[in-house]
Amino acid sequence: MRPRIAVPADTLTEATNVINERMAPYAPKPIIEAIVKSGGVPVILPSVDPQFVPDYIDLFDGVIFAGGADVDPTFYGEEPHQKLGATYRKRDLFEIELLKESLKASKAVFGICRGLQVINVALGGTLYQDLSENPATVLKHSQDAPGNFPSHHITVSHETKLHYLMGDRPYVNSRHHQIVKKVAPNLKAVASADDGVVEALESTENDRILAVQWHPENMFKHYPESQQLFADLIKRAQNGN
Ligand code: MN
């Protein structure tokens, strides 16, 4: 059987005339395509009450926490900064519970952009609500170039999963205004941009967590090393159960 990869859904919050589409759960098409191309079966999970999370656990082998709205800062003990973007607390609650239960069940976890941030917060880390809060952040992390173009380099620590998959200095895209402040216990920063921004996290304990701050789902069609990240998730999902 192909590994089943859960994607907790985002929610369409814009007004729509069609009542059935109001607040509709959805997942980004490039992530679904990347899972399928890598040999997995995508399973989209809506942001329902977190008490349902244990009922979902047997439905998947790995999980991708995808991009989306800012994480509600009250989850890391802060009031909202003026430059905080839109938040959606219901998704945060569902994803935080889903991450915790997934790790208990030894599922393979991959985080993308907001996904990296929500994993860090769920495990006890913190964020800068906007990168302007950290004066050292001087590079452009919200690129104006098309989303599938790389725009800044990152330096990857040796002897990490990410180094094995992408080498010393991959060239990646960048579409985020929040960044990691404190890395959660049991996670380690394994890549950074030249201004020190954390660009990837891995577990210190096992191979269950890899998370990146950029968007490999927008690059995998043309950049084989981005494809490697999804192939690695599928492999870890196969090995875990
Ligand atoms: Mn960046």
Side-chain angles (χ1 to χ4, degrees):
M1 193 166 72
R2 292 183 179 88
R4 300 154 303 171
I5 305 299
V7 184
D10 203 344
T11 300
L12 197 61
T13 51
E14 290 96 56
T16 155
N17 288 331
V18 182
I19 193 164
N20 287 352
E21 290 176 3
R22 279 181 211 156
M23 302 301 281
Y26 73 95
K29 181 169 166 249
I31 289 186
I32 301 301
E33 290 174 338
I35 292 169
V36 171
K37 187 178 174 191
S38 308
V41 177
V43 182
I44 302 173
L45 306 181
S47 301
V48 293
D49 190 307
Q51 68 170 312
F52 291 107
V53 164
D55 299 318
Y56 281 126
I57 285 293
D58 289 341
L59 297 182
F60 63 90
D61 307 299
V63 52
I64 297 181
F65 291 90
D70 289 356
V71 178
D72 183 329
T74 61
F75 287 110
Y76 49 98
E78 291 187 10
E79 290 298 303
H81 184 280
Q82 287 183 5
K83 290 191 174 164
L84 178 70
T87 56
Y88 188 60
R89 189 175 170 81
K90 230 179 137 179
R91 181 178 176 192
D92 298 339
L93 286 165
F94 183 77
E95 288 193 341
I96 288 169
E97 189 64 16
L98 187 70
L99 174 73
K100 289 178 176 169
E101 290 295 321
S102 295
L103 292 176
K104 267 193 226 164
S106 219
K107 308 286 181 186
V109 173
F110 182 40
I112 293 176
C113 197
R114 166 200 153 84
L116 172 145
Q117 295 166 0
V118 83
I119 291 166
N120 189 49
V121 169
L123 298 179
T126 66
L127 307 175
Y128 287 106
Q129 293 184 39
D130 183 78
L131 44 67
S132 61
E133 282 188 282
N134 180 356
T137 307
V138 295
L139 294 181
K140 190 173 180 72
H141 290 276
S142 297
Q143 69 187 47
D144 289 319
N148 56 333
F149 287 15
S151 73
H152 70 59
H153 290 87
I154 58 174
T155 300
V156 181
S157 309
H158 286 229
E159 289 171 36
T160 60
K161 171 178 283 302
L162 186 65
H163 191 267
Y164 174 74
L165 297 170
M166 296 190 79
D168 280 327
R169 195 150 161 90
Y171 191 28
V172 301
N173 60 6
S174 197
R175 204 165 73 238
H176 59 106
H177 85 104
Q178 295 201 310
I179 54 177
V180 168
K181 192 189 308 182
K182 190 188 106 196
V183 175
N186 305 331
L187 292 179
K188 59 184 175 192
V190 298
S192 57
D194 288 2
D195 57 359
V197 165
V198 172
E199 292 277 345
L201 296 172
E202 292 183 13
S203 168
T204 56
E205 299 176 323
N206 51 44
D207 73 345
R208 297 290 87 190
I209 305 175
L210 172 63
V212 300
Q213 185 57 76
W214 70 95
H215 287 272
E217 78 279 21
N218 296 134
M219 299 181 72
F220 77 93
K221 286 183 184 166
H222 303 289
Y223 298 89
E225 63 277 16
S226 290
Q227 171 73 38
Q228 286 303 311
L229 299 176
F230 294 96
D232 170 71
L233 172 69
I234 304 293
K235 202 164 86 190
R236 288 189 288 127
Q238 247 158 355
N239 293 343
N241 296 300

